[in-house]
Amino acid sequence: INEVSAPTPEQLHIVTRAERGETNFARVAVIVRPGASIDLVESHFGGAGFSSFLIEIGMQDAGSVRRTVLQRGSTDAAQAITALVSLGDKAEYTQTALAFGAKLARLETRLRHQGSGSHATINGAYLCADGYHADFTSHVRHGAPSSITRQVTKGAVLNGGKGVFQGKFYVPRTIGQYTDADMQHQALLLEDGAEVFAKPELEIYADDVECAHGNTSGALDPNQLFYMRQRGIPEAAARALLTEAFIAEALEESSESVRVALLDAARGFLAESVQ
């Protein structure tokens, strides 16, 4: 259990890795005291036949957490990465995740607004090549008035890859009044045979809220691709650049100290995979 009470941001880097053929289970609990802040960085590299990681984050009044997650697995492994997050009054939670998938991989976030004026940002991006599966699942409960949630998830999938998005905002009657929430999922199917499944949901019982959700899936814009090729950029490089620009929005809120590493990881994948 890690307890944070210092007024200045602290950074905690968690790395999970296991030997092939093993199972790997881990649980971490983080308590953020009033007015304290922490910068969480997680790297999940799999390796085990099955790995499960659970992090519980309890944020008290005016606490602040910035969580950045990198997930990489193999085509013969299953990974489950789950976060249980609760926010007190005026607490701020920012999450950014980049997933490359595994045989089966799920990044799940279950977040509860328990204090008024709390703010959550839950962003993520997935890049899936042949034989890889990445699932972003989230459930946000607006259990306090005037709570705010922003969620942007973007994905790019190649032939034989599979991306999944399941998001739900739940707004109960009375205590969920004045909720302000927006959920967006956008995906690129880069090749024939790519698969994307999306299920954004709003379940609202309060009557004075501003909530929206959206979902789009499609191919790269041929006009943009033509424009870049006309300027001497090879087709493979143009496709990689356009895909990088597309997913970059979902990574903008990540911790500054690791944002470049995330973009470099995405850029390396695209340079090798996108033809």
Side-chain angles (χ1 to χ4, degrees), residues 116-180:
S116 63
S118 53
H119 189 291
T121 301
I122 311 171
N123 294 343
Y126 56 86
L127 296 167
C128 296
D130 184 16
Y132 288 84
H133 165 285
D135 176 332
F136 276 79
T137 294
S138 60
H139 185 286
V140 178
R141 186 180 191 275
H142 289 265
S146 302
S147 54
I148 300 172
T149 300
R150 295 290 182 267
Q151 183 172 18
V152 174
T153 304
K154 294 199 172 190
V157 183
L158 295 165
N159 178 27
K162 183 179 294 185
V164 180
F165 172 78
Q166 303 177 92
K168 184 173 185 177
F169 289 164
Y170 176 78
V171 184
R173 195 183 309 275
T174 308
I175 60 172
Q177 299 290 2
Y178 315 120
T179 287
D180 180 358

Side-chain angles (χ1 to χ4, degrees), residues 55-85:
I55 185 167
E56 300 174 74
I57 303 172
M59 302 172 60
Q60 298 181 358
D61 296 353
S64 175
V65 171
R66 186 178 299 272
R67 178 178 181 239
T68 306
V69 182
L70 173 64
Q71 179 274 327
R72 283 185 181 272
S74 63
T75 54
D76 58 356
Q79 289 179 265
I81 302 165
T82 305
L84 305 179
V85 186

